[in-house]
Amino acid sequence: MTGAPDPHAPPPEAPAIRVRADDEAPPPPVTLGRRLSGWAGDLGWTALLFAAIWVGAGWLRAPALQTAPALDLPTLDGGRVRLESLRGRTVIVNFWATWCGPCRVEMPTLVSFAADHPDVPVVLVAVDGTPDALRGFARAHDVPESLIARADAATRAAWGVGTLPTTVVVGPDGTLRGAHGGIVLAPQLWWWTR
């Protein structure tokens, strides 16, 4: 016969019931604050990982220099920039091109840094463009002409620039304090020039 319970079968097990002791605290409720705190921690670790990858990738693409090569170039305002004449000061040298999208993205950071730190010379070395084209770029992007120098092929080769943009920070004694291939961030500039 089907459907009739077997009188000789053991009774089914009842589900276990957990009884909380009187001195045992209930689990805390998951509040919005706790969720936000967890997300903030995850975001912090993600930002730290991103920063490490950013710096590492920039370091790998940077020129392999111990000391800064000579730099003697004309600037758009009619002057010249000579690295030798800037000895004793920390100098930021940035190689860029007018056609380079990442170069345009980082340009406001460099211009702002130059304005906020007049004691740290910033040299924006253009690897392309005629003087007239560079002046047009300077006007369109609010870049002081005194910051822009025109590079020749020998300068670019001597500095080992393979990625644009490339930023090199030269210490007062001519040794490199930092170099980055790709978009440089303001905290990097601050760290290398302090």
Side-chain angles (χ1 to χ4, degrees), residues 57 64 73 84 87 97 116 118 127 134 141 157 174 179 181 184 188 193-194:
L73 300 171
E84 187 62 36
R87 286 290 164 124
D116 294 343
V127 300
L134 292 173
H141 297 280
V184 72
Q188 290 172 282
T193 59
R194 37 177 238 145

Side-chain angles (χ1 to χ4, degrees), residues 8 39-40 58 72-73 120 141 170:
H8 301 295
W39 292 336
D72 186 355
L73 300 171
V120 179
H141 297 280
V170 182

Side-chain angles (χ1 to χ4, degrees), residues 8-55:
H8 301 295
E13 288 187 29
I17 298 176
R18 185 177 184 287
V19 178
R20 186 172 41 123
D22 290 337
D23 60 347
E24 184 180 359
V30 179
T31 63
L32 179 61
R34 291 186 82 146
R35 285 186 192 160
L36 290 176
S37 176
W39 292 336
D42 292 345
L43 184 60
W45 282 109
T46 302
L48 185 62
L49 178 62
F50 175 77
I53 291 170
W54 184 272
V55 170

Side-chain angles (χ1 to χ4, degrees), residues 20-133:
R20 186 172 41 123
D22 290 337
D23 60 347
E24 184 180 359
V30 179
T31 63
L32 179 61
R34 291 186 82 146
R35 285 186 192 160
L36 290 176
S37 176
W39 292 336
D42 292 345
L43 184 60
W45 282 109
T46 302
L48 185 62
L49 178 62
F50 175 77
I53 291 170
W54 184 272
V55 170
W59 177 77
L60 289 172
R61 293 184 307 224
L65 301 169
Q66 296 298 317
T67 58
L71 185 72
D72 186 355
L73 300 171
T75 58
L76 281 186
D77 65 351
R80 288 196 79 76
V81 61
R82 292 178 185 87
L83 193 57
E84 187 62 36
S85 69
L86 298 172
R87 286 290 164 124
R89 299 170 73 183
T90 300
V91 181
I92 296 172
V93 181
N94 175 266
F95 291 86
W96 63 284
T98 57
W99 51 263
C100 169
C103 300
R104 288 192 299 272
V105 168
E106 81 169 355
M107 194 64 67
T109 299
L110 293 160
V111 171
S112 176
F113 188 89
D116 294 343
H117 301 88
D119 55 320
V120 179
V122 175
V123 182
L124 304 175
V125 182
V127 300
D128 75 335
T130 64
D132 288 337

